[in-house]
Amino acid sequence: MSDPERSIAIDWRDLSSEALDNVLQDLVTRGEPDEIDIETRCRQLLSALKAGKVCLYFDQLEETIFLRNA
């Protein structure tokens, strides 16, 4: 789990559409395979971001983006 002290919040609206697509795809393909296709999971994650249910963060030490519940 990432340390909040070294994490920076990222406003998904500040990302270009290409960068946002890449971040979403990276996040939904981590871990175990899912029965839901990648495109659907990306849409679901984007909906959660738009609804304010989850937030994006960048871990400066790990240099990775992760999600945190809002």
Side-chain angles (χ1 to χ4, degrees):
M1 182 58 100
S2 293
D3 181 353
E5 294 295 315
R6 64 178 197 223
S7 301
I8 300 170
I10 299 171
D11 188 336
W12 62 270
R13 294 166 291 211
D14 291 339
L15 300 175
S16 68
S17 61
E18 182 180 356
L20 180 58
D21 287 343
N22 289 337
V23 167
L24 294 175
Q25 286 184 27
D26 177 60
L27 289 168
V28 301
T29 57
R30 291 181 189 171
E32 296 294 317
D34 197 330
E35 294 197 16
I36 302 171
D37 64 276
I38 293 171
E39 188 176 309
T40 300
R41 290 188 291 166
C42 286
R43 280 196 310 270
Q44 291 171 339
L45 179 52
L46 181 58
S47 292
L49 285 167
K50 287 180 177 180
K53 294 179 181 179
V54 294
C55 300
L56 294 175
Y57 285 83
F58 178 72
D59 183 309
Q60 298 177 82
L61 184 62
E62 302 279 332
E63 296 185 347
T64 59
I65 293 178
F66 64 96
L67 294 170
R68 187 177 292 156
N69 290 332

